[in-house]
Amino acid sequence: MNFLRGVMGGQSAGPQHTEAETIQKLCDRVASSTLLDDRRNAVRALKSLSKKYRLEVGIQAMEHLIHVLQTDRSDSEIIAYALDTLYNIISNDEEEEVEENSTRPSEDLGSQFTEIFIKQPENVTLLLSLLEEFDFHVRWPGVRLLTSLLKQLGPPVQQIVLVSPMGVSRLMDLLADSREIIRNDGVLLLQALTRSNGAIQKIVAFENAFERLLDIITEEGNSDGGIVVEDCLILLQNLLKNNNSNQNFFKEGSYIQRMKPWFEVGDENSGWSAQKVTNLHLMLQLVRVLVSPTNPPGATSSCQKAMFQCGLLQQLCTILMATGIPADILTETINTVSEVIRGCQVNQDYFASVNAPSNPPRPAIVVLLMSMVNERQPFVLRCAVLYCFQCFLYKNQKGQGEIVATLLPSTIDATGNSVSAGQLLCGGLFSTDSLSNWCAAVALAHALQGNATQKEQLLRVQLATSIGNPPVSLLQQCTNILSQGSKIQTRVGLLMLLCTWLSNCPIAVTHFLHNSANVPFLTGQIAENLGEEEQLVQGLCALLLGISIYFNDNSLENYMKEKLKQLIEKRIGKENFIEKLGFISKHELYSRASQKPQPNFPSPEYMIFDHEFTKLVKELEGVITKAIYKSSEEDKKEEEVKKTLEQHDNIVTHYKNMIREQDLQLEELKQQVSTLRCQNEQLQTAVTQQASQIQQHKDQYNLLKVQLGKDNHHQGSHSDGAQVNGIQPEEISRLREEIEELKSHQGLLQSQLAEKDSLIENLKSSQVSALNEQASAAASPRDSDQVVELKQELSTLKSQLNSQSLEITRLQAENHELLQRAEALAKSVPVQGESENVIAAKTTDVEGRLSALLQETKELKNEIKALSEEKTAIKKQLDSSNSTIAILQTEKDKLDVEVTDSKKEQDDLLVLLADQDQKILSLKSKLKDLGHPVEEEDESGDQEDEDDEMDDGDKDQDI
């Protein structure tokens, strides 16, 4: 409030004292009245005074008006008056009208009152909640007030709305309001809300804003609509510009397809109102936002493809070639088409196929180039055509080749009926208009950008200068014009063309140096001390001479690298040369051209640098500086390194190709192995099926054998030996022989099956080894041999399976025949005169025998089981006994060792005792010799002991 007092104190020419008192009384009535009607009337009176006495009402009444919004929400009329009053206080619209004829300085009251209002964020939140009211008299003033707040202090109000719960969603509901004035003002509100705030832009986009805005544009008539369409387009630009997330969402939501109807303008000349021009201009800008070169390359590429697929590019090209299009719309359309095709091969190819509706039809590129080199065309249109040509050639080697081909002698139309792109460029390059010279030189430089093949092809171009004189090359003609001292813009354009042409092309450098006048001209230009206007030309000449040194292959003896560097040192000086070279990047227009690819200049004199050329300067400035200071030995080393790198690259490329081929071979082998594996599995399945069939035949054979055995036994017990149930013995022997043959066939089948199993196992092992070898080494020559062997084994296996299937078929036939014979034998029994009772008795007998055999078999199985259990128990006992024996044996071995040790100790003691006795005897003998008396007790005692032992022995013998 101190600020407000200062403002009040500074007002020398304010309202009369009575009016200030009136405002004070009204504020007191709003604050103290208990009746709603009194407060409503007071607020209405404040509203009427707020336009004329904005400062006083704002200072005294703002707090009371906010209180009314908080407490009287149930009465929409007083809320509407309060919102209108606040809008009049905060908005600067009325103040601008009033103060047009006023001499006192305008004070930004709007932003100051806005700052007071948003100092309490709850006020903005309260305003957002009021926007939920459907009442027109509440919603519409609320929208206007919030829009005014955003205009005055956008960022802080945006932040309050962003953190407010459901704040943005409430504002999005305004677009769905059926009342157009609220919907339209809601669009203006969202414009102010989304300006320069990426977070709010994303929220608005994901609240289905694109769908609603496109619906509004369609309802309003697309480009024929009014200012509402313009507001919607501005809001769409706010949401999409520099917002990659929203751009991707727009593309993924298939909204690009909905832009196509915007550009269905037709050829009528009378339908271009000012509003339509504005709308279409904004629509074209919106397309450019999606394909801007500053966007991520992936996002731009996907949008370009979508525009081609939905027909949007085709529609833009239709406008491009239509008649009656306003100049500014045509210029913007050219710029839009330029960015839609830039770097996209599919779109560039389509653009190359577009023809103008003329007789005869001419390519759109030719028609545009005619406008570019025509000095009577507007400057902005010529810049747009140049940009379109640059975008057509950007990363488009196919297009570059087509443009250069129109200059070659073999493709020039001898009749002269049609004009080609190359002829137009040459005409512009050598015309008297310096702007045409510059545009043609830059356009031709873009046809050579990054394409060494076309640089070499352009050396073949020959020009006829005048009648009677021999033709000269395009390169020579460029240097001739350069040396004639033309305008700076022309010389700059030609020097940029030559620098682009000679860079990374040693053949072009050789052609340039072959003209003996070129090097002296360049050194003369660089060495002179000229004015500031000529410094740029000097810098470009230094760059061209530096390129002639750096990309020189030393094929000309007089102009080798070392000689050119010596020439620079003698005539110019290395430091002076580098200083002149630096004039390019220090020029004031250099940084401006390096920012954006589009050549956007305010006037022709500013058209000096090209965007792609600034990249070339940045790339070559450093390497040329190093090349100037390098010695000849360093140059030789560098050339050797280059050759080594080239050889290394060639080797790497060779090995890459080898690896690629081996990968292909490996893939083929893997496919063959997988095929063989499938065949193997199929064959294994067939073998399994045949084995089951063989087992079935075995079972049938065993059953038939049992039946024949029973019949033979019955016949042996009831026949007289000459005839068995009507069957002769010869027949029985023949059947037995057939049974033996069947047994032999069965053995043969089993052996064949075993061979087949072994073949399958060999096949599996060979496949596994083949796979391991393929994983360990890349496609060795043995793989093909193994595949051949596998195929041979498979063919062998197939033939064996065929023979096996034939054998099984024959066995089935024999089995069937044998069954028929058995049935015939069974039928022959009643024919011999036996009764049915006898047959039943036989059957019962056989069944009894069978049950007895089964019982016996069961008993034998039980016995075998018991014996196996007994065997297991005995085995366990034997194991325990063996373990005990092993333990005892271990203990015995220990005792034996101990006894052996004790015997050795006893023997050692006996030896010691014997030595002692011998020593004692020798000592006694010595004492006797010396005359000393020796007692014989020990000896007598010993003798007595010996005698006693002898006596004891005799007694024992007597006993």
Side-chain angles (χ1 to χ4, degrees), residues 704-721 723-725 727 732 735-736 739 825 829 834 841-850 853:
L704 184 61
K705 183 179 178 182
V706 171
Q707 290 178 354
L708 288 174
K710 290 179 181 179
D711 293 337
N712 290 336
H713 177 73
H714 180 72
Q715 291 169 358
S717 60
H718 294 280
S719 66
D720 54 358
Q723 183 178 359
V724 182
N725 289 334
I727 300 176
I732 294 173
L735 289 172
R736 288 178 178 175
I739 290 171
L825 181 62
V829 174
E834 291 185 358
K842 289 180 180 180
T843 303
T844 305
D845 187 15
V846 171
E847 289 178 354
R849 289 179 183 177
L850 183 60
L853 288 173

Side-chain angles (χ1 to χ4, degrees), residues 521-544:
F521 168 74
L522 293 178
T523 54
Q525 287 286 319
I526 300 168
E528 291 181 7
N529 292 321
L530 304 174
E532 293 183 1
E533 294 182 354
E534 295 291 333
Q535 285 183 352
L536 179 58
V537 175
Q538 287 184 308
L540 291 172
C541 290
L543 179 64
L544 183 58

Side-chain angles (χ1 to χ4, degrees), residues 917-954:
D917 289 342
Q918 190 66 32
K919 288 180 181 179
I920 291 169
L921 290 175
S922 63
L923 290 173
K924 282 183 178 182
S925 62
K926 286 180 180 180
L927 289 173
K928 283 181 181 181
D929 293 339
L930 292 173
H932 289 282
V934 179
E935 296 180 356
E936 299 292 336
E937 293 179 358
D938 295 334
E939 294 180 357
S940 61
D942 295 334
Q943 188 67 35
E944 289 177 356
D945 292 335
E946 291 176 359
D947 294 339
D948 293 337
E949 290 177 358
M950 293 286 291
D951 293 338
D952 292 334
D954 294 338

Side-chain angles (χ1 to χ4, degrees), residues 552-596:
N552 192 342
D553 58 359
N554 293 327
S555 59
L556 295 176
E557 185 177 356
N558 294 331
Y559 294 106
M560 297 177 68
K561 286 185 178 182
E562 191 61 30
K563 290 185 177 180
L564 289 174
K565 287 194 284 187
Q566 292 174 2
L567 183 65
I568 289 174
E569 189 171 3
K570 290 179 181 179
R571 293 192 179 182
I572 305 171
K574 292 182 178 180
E575 289 76 10
N576 190 25
F577 178 85
I578 300 303
E579 182 183 0
K580 297 292 176 66
L581 182 63
F583 285 162
I584 302 173
S585 56
K586 292 178 182 178
H587 198 276
E588 58 182 355
L589 298 177
Y590 176 86
S591 59
R592 180 171 182 174
S594 63
Q595 292 174 0
K596 292 182 180 181

Side-chain angles (χ1 to χ4, degrees), residues 321-387:
M321 296 291 105
T323 57
I325 306 296
D328 53 347
I329 293 297
L330 181 60
T331 303
E332 190 64 23
T333 304
I334 295 173
N335 289 327
T336 305
V337 171
S338 305
E339 294 183 351
V340 173
I341 68 173
R342 186 177 190 269
C344 182
Q345 188 66 51
V346 177
N347 295 3
Q348 288 168 338
D349 292 343
Y350 171 77
F351 183 71
S353 66
V354 175
N355 289 322
S358 59
N359 191 15
R362 288 179 176 175
I365 296 174
V366 173
V367 175
L368 291 174
L369 288 178
M370 291 173 68
S371 300
M372 185 185 76
V373 298
N374 187 353
E375 55 184 308
R376 289 176 295 181
Q377 293 291 340
F379 173 67
V380 290
L381 179 63
R382 299 175 74 181
C383 291
V385 173
L386 176 61
Y387 184 44

